[in-house]
């Protein structure tokens, strides 16, 4: 969840490190720091808060050097302050280290090192590792060997970069469970936890796998396993340029990414719809379609927003393919000893492809010999590499911490998978052709909703001071209610809950009074009459109702306080439309409350720790 960047070459390192950290700030923004080596002098600068504060500090210090490491932190062990900020150093200030992940046996190691007179300055688990490296180095006087031996003592996860003042031309990086990407330049190398940090400098990259380390100097890079076996790595081309991770004139990345959805949904469908056959083509799972159709059940596993997409996938696959589907939180999956066999297909969903809980679910499913498919956005990510097959979203980089365009792309891909499987089982060609045409209308329909954002902003004005929200939906729109509530609580810090509308009377109705805003997804679909009954129940208790309704439904205006219309559309794809107003509503409320919508408190973009 934290951000790592490192550089070794012939350029001044500070501008490269700062630029990379700014690109990674969405991965953690509690504190930040850099370590530089100039000659054989190691200098460390750290600051609590955002990267801008570190940048101000560095402008006053005039550090220079051509090798360095930088880190932006999302706190796990120890409160977010300057002392606990990375990089961490050892007793003799010889080593500086940055770390993503969690060292589970840190307390045992810390007690052992304190017994050897190591002096600890922070509350973090990370500091244990830099002292451990120092301890081994005293015995062998070999930087690479000291790092390797230290890593072999660790339980937990890590992505690290470490430098040593005794060897000012060497940078070492390693990973286990936390991503590390290596960028290749001309007589220079870059290290990062995300390609966004280095895309401005190189598009040639390699990815470390678990239990691998890279020993880098200015002329070459050697990659080995932690137990010293050589590894050959393929060099890959980053598929996006730096313009895709700029705000492009928008005030926030979140708004930019909401507004990009006509294009990103189109990109998720591009080349995948077959008009004449009335079906979809998904090359990444081409050879696994029979496994899906023969399976006794499909199990989706995901976290957060991706879990909500999986719930929509459950509705789609069960309704149109008639295969039983279960949806599991990935964070619970591995601890529940799930019943899996070769007749179960496990499909995991993750925007980043690095989500620690979801990756653990992948590995648990593979241990139980299930077929494992991945749906993710980031090419070359760990989940993409470790699953048996899968589908990329092609949504482009998502920088806003609260996911928007990735969600709609996930639902689009799940709908494409459903169409493919349905056409190979029970759906007729004519129905398939009709669905394909509906897919093609999606970008235009999303555009229509986005043009109505001023109305949504006006509605947001009225609820800036609300302390609670209730979101209600039925059927395939129940997961949309969950996702709408999540968006609001993530970025505005207003308590919000999503419920199946029929469940309201089994508890949540006790909360409804004249101060309770209730968002109801009330589109003209198979659940319309029932949802109108729920609206009446809210009205009877004086709740304030915001309805997401279908264009042309004038009757609903007489029953609610505010209406946001979406175009009439097939129920098959409706969630892709109904979520858009809820994303905008959350965005505008958060902005009007003065919240940092791109970097909400306590959150980070890619959750790479358990």
């Amino acid at each position: 969840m934290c951000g790592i960047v490192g550089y070794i070459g012939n350029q001044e390192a500070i501008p490269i490190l700062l630029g990379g950290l700014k690109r990674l700030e969405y991965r953690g923004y509690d504190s930040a720091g850099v370590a530089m080596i100039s000659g054989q002098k190691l200098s460390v600068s750290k600051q609590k808060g955002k990267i801008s504060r570190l940048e101000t500090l560095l402008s006053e210090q005039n550090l220079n050097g051509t090798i360095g490491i930088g880190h932006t932190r999302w706190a796990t062990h120890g409160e977010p302050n300057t002392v606990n900020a990375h990089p961490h150093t050892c007793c003799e200030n010889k080593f500086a280290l940055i770390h993503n992940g969690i060292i589970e046996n840190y307390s045992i190691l810390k007690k052992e090192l304190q017994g050897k007179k190591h002096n600890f300055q922070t509350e973090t688990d990370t500091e244990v590792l830099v002292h451990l490296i120092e301890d081994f180095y005293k015995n062998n006087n070999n930087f690479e060997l000291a790092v390797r031996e230290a890593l072999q003592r660790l339980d937990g996860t890590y992505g690290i970069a470490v430098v040593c003042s005794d060897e000012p031309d060497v940078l070492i990086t390693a990973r286990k469970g936390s991503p590390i990407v290596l960028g290749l330049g001309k007589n220079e190398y870059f290290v990062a936890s995300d390609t966004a940090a280095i895309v401005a400098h190189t598009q040639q990259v390699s990815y470390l796998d678990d239990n691998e380390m890279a020993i880098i100097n200015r002329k070459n890079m050697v990659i080995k396993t932690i137990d010293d076996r050589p590894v050959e790595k393929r060099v890959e081309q980053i598929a996006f340029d730096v313009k895709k991770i700029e705000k492009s004139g928008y005030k926030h990345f979140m708004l930019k990414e909401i507004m990009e959805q006509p294009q990103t949904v189109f990109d998720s469908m591009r080349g995948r719809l077959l008009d004449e056959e009335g079906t979809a083509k998904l090359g990444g799972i081409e050879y696994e379609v029979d496994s899906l159709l023969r399976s006794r059940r499909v199990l989706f596993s995901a976290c957060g927003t991706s879990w909500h997409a999986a719930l929509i996938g459950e509705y789609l696959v069960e309704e149109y393919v008639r295969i039983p589907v279960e949806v599991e939180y990935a964070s619970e999956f591995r601890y529940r000893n799930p019943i899996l066999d070769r007749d179960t297909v496990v499909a995991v969903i993750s925007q980043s492809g690095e989500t620690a809980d979801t990756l653990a679910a992948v590995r648990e499913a593979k241990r139980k010999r299930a077929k494992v498919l991945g749906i993710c956005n980031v090419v070359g990510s760990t989940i993409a590499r470790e699953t048996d097959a899968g589908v990329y979203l092609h949504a482009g980089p998502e920088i806003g911490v609260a996911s928007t365009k990735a969600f709609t792309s996930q639902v689009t891909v799940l709908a494409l998978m459903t169409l493919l499987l349905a056409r190979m089982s029970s759906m007729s060609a004519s129905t398939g052709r009709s669905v394909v045409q509906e897919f093609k209308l999606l970008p235009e329909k999303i555009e229509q909703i986005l043009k109505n954002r001023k109305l949504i902003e006006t509605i947001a004005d009225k609820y800036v001071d609300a302390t609670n929200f209730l979101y209600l939906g039925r059927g395939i729109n129940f997961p949309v209610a969950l996702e709408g509530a999540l968006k609001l609580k993530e970025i505005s810090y207003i308590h919000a809950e999503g419920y199946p509308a029929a469940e309201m009377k089994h508890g949540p109705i006790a909360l409804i009074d004249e101060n309770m805003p209730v968002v109801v997804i009330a589109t003209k679909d198979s659940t319309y009459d029932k949802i109108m009954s729920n609206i009446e129940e809210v009205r009877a208790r004086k709740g304030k109702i915001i309805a997401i309704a279908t264009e042309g439904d004038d009757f609903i205006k007489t029953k609610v306080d505010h209406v946001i219309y979406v175009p009439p559309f097939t129920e098959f794809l409706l969630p892709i439309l109904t979520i858009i107003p809820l994303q905008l509503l959350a965005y505008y409320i958060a902005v009007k409350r003065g919240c940092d919508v791109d970097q909400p408190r306590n959150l980070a973009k890619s959750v790479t720790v358990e």
Side-chain angles (χ1 to χ4, degrees), residues 272-298:
R272 291 171 165 174
L273 291 168
L274 303 178
D275 294 59
E276 287 302 313
E277 294 91 334
T279 188
K281 179 179 181 180
L282 298 169
I285 60 168
E286 183 177 357
Y287 299 107
E288 304 300 338
V289 171
D290 286 343
S291 297
L292 281 160
L293 290 171
R294 289 198 308 267
S295 63
R296 288 194 301 174
R297 65 171 179 153
V298 173

Side-chain angles (χ1 to χ4, degrees), residues 370-434:
K371 180 75 68 176
V372 186
L373 309 181
I375 299 171
C376 63
N377 193 35
V378 180
V379 176
S381 61
T382 305
I383 288 174
R385 297 198 306 274
E386 292 198 12
T387 46
D388 297 310
V391 184
Y392 283 119
L393 304 181
H394 299 307
E398 187 176 64
I399 307 300
V401 167
S403 181
T404 52
K405 67 178 183 177
F407 175 77
T408 49
S409 289
Q410 286 168 347
V411 177
T412 301
V413 164
L414 288 165
L416 288 168
M417 288 177 64
T418 301
L419 174 61
L420 170 62
L421 296 172
R423 281 288 290 115
M424 296 186 72
S425 51
S426 59
M427 185 181 284
S428 69
S430 61
T431 301
R433 282 191 287 269
S434 175

Side-chain angles (χ1 to χ4, degrees), residues 348-365:
V348 300
I349 308 173
S350 166
Q351 187 281 135
S352 67
E354 303 291 350
T355 310
D357 290 318
T358 309
L359 185 55
V362 169
R363 291 167 178 167
E364 179 66 16

Side-chain angles (χ1 to χ4, degrees), residues 205-476:
V205 299
S206 292
Y207 298 92
L208 285 186
D209 287 314
D210 278 357
N211 299 307
E212 292 179 350
M213 60 190 294
I215 302 92
I216 309 168
N217 62 40
R218 296 172 208 279
K219 293 185 179 179
N220 73 323
M221 175 171 63
V222 176
I223 300 177
K224 302 179 179 181
T225 62
I226 301 302
D227 56 2
D228 204 26
R229 290 178 288 114
V231 175
E232 292 293 326
K233 282 289 177 186
R234 186 177 63 178
V235 177
E236 301 181 30
Q237 185 86 6
I238 297 176
F240 65 90
D241 62 35
V242 73
K243 292 180 182 178
K244 292 188 177 180
I245 49 176
E246 300 286 357
K247 289 183 182 175
S248 304
Y250 288 96
K251 186 177 180 181
H252 298 102
F253 279 110
M254 184 178 179
L255 181 58
K256 173 179 180 273
E257 288 157 6
I258 290 171
M259 298 300 293
E260 286 177 340
Q261 287 175 109
Q263 184 63 48
T264 55
V265 166
F266 175 78
D267 289 342
S268 296
M269 300 185 297
R270 188 198 301 267
R272 291 171 165 174
L273 291 168
L274 303 178
D275 294 59
E276 287 302 313
E277 294 91 334
T279 188
K281 179 179 181 180
L282 298 169
I285 60 168
E286 183 177 357
Y287 299 107
E288 304 300 338
V289 171
D290 286 343
S291 297
L292 281 160
L293 290 171
R294 289 198 308 267
S295 63
R296 288 194 301 174
R297 65 171 179 153
V298 173
L299 193 154
F300 286 119
S301 188
C303 300
T305 286
S306 299
W307 187 77
H308 297 154
L311 290 174
I312 294 170
E314 177 183 20
Y315 278 93
L316 290 171
V317 173
E318 289 197 339
E319 176 70 21
Y320 295 99
V321 189
R322 310 307 294 166
I323 296 174
V325 178
E326 294 178 34
V327 179
E328 290 263 14
Y329 280 114
S331 53
E332 293 294 325
F333 178 86
R334 66 183 296 207
Y335 298 108
R336 205 178 57 76
N337 192 20
I339 300 171
L340 300 175
D341 55 34
R342 293 185 179 183
D343 294 323
T344 300
V345 173
V346 176
V348 300
I349 308 173
S350 166
Q351 187 281 135
S352 67
E354 303 291 350
T355 310
D357 290 318
T358 309
L359 185 55
V362 169
R363 291 167 178 167
E364 179 66 16
K366 293 184 80 170
R367 273 192 290 271
K368 292 182 179 290
R369 308 179 84 175
K371 180 75 68 176
V372 186
L373 309 181
I375 299 171
C376 63
N377 193 35
V378 180
V379 176
S381 61
T382 305
I383 288 174
R385 297 198 306 274
E386 292 198 12
T387 46
D388 297 310
V391 184
Y392 283 119
L393 304 181
H394 299 307
E398 187 176 64
I399 307 300
V401 167
S403 181
T404 52
K405 67 178 183 177
F407 175 77
T408 49
S409 289
Q410 286 168 347
V411 177
T412 301
V413 164
L414 288 165
L416 288 168
M417 288 177 64
T418 301
L419 174 61
L420 170 62
L421 296 172
R423 281 288 290 115
M424 296 186 72
S425 51
S426 59
M427 185 181 284
S428 69
S430 61
T431 301
R433 282 191 287 269
S434 175
V435 172
V436 166
Q437 295 311 307
E438 296 284 351
F439 267 105
K440 290 187 171 184
L441 291 173
L442 267 174
E444 175 190 331
K445 302 288 188 183
I446 296 170
E447 197 79 63
Q448 289 178 39
I449 299 168
L450 293 173
K451 287 177 180 176
N452 204 28
R453 62 187 181 277
K454 286 296 181 185
L455 169 65
I456 299 170
E457 185 175 7
T458 301
I459 295 170
D461 275 327
K462 301 180 185 301
Y463 297 100
V464 168
D465 296 322
T467 54
N468 296 282
F469 261 78
L470 188 62
Y471 286 69
L472 302 176
R474 280 181 177 262
I476 202 167

Side-chain angles (χ1 to χ4, degrees), residues 472 474 501 504 518-523 528-543 545-549 553 556 558-561:
L472 302 176
R474 280 181 177 262
M504 178 184 64
V518 181
V519 179
V520 184
I521 305 168
T523 48
Y528 180 76
D529 291 339
K530 294 296 185 183
I531 205 82
M532 291 305 296
S533 297
N534 298 129
I535 286 173
E536 293 289 2
E537 291 167 348
V538 176
R539 286 185 74 214
R541 289 151 183 88
K542 297 184 169 53
I545 305 172
I546 304 167
I548 311 301
D553 182 1
I556 201 168
T558 66
K559 300 294 183 180
V560 303
D561 297 276

Side-chain angles (χ1 to χ4, degrees), residues 253-254 257-258 305 398-406 483 486-488 490-491 583 597-600 603-605:
F253 279 110
M254 184 178 179
E257 288 157 6
I258 290 171
T305 286
E398 187 176 64
I399 307 300
V401 167
S403 181
T404 52
K405 67 178 183 177
E483 176 62 11
L486 178 62
K487 288 286 93 61
L488 186 69
E490 281 180 319
I491 62 170
Q583 293 172 346
V597 297
D598 283 341
Q599 297 172 356
L603 296 178
K605 183 64 180 175

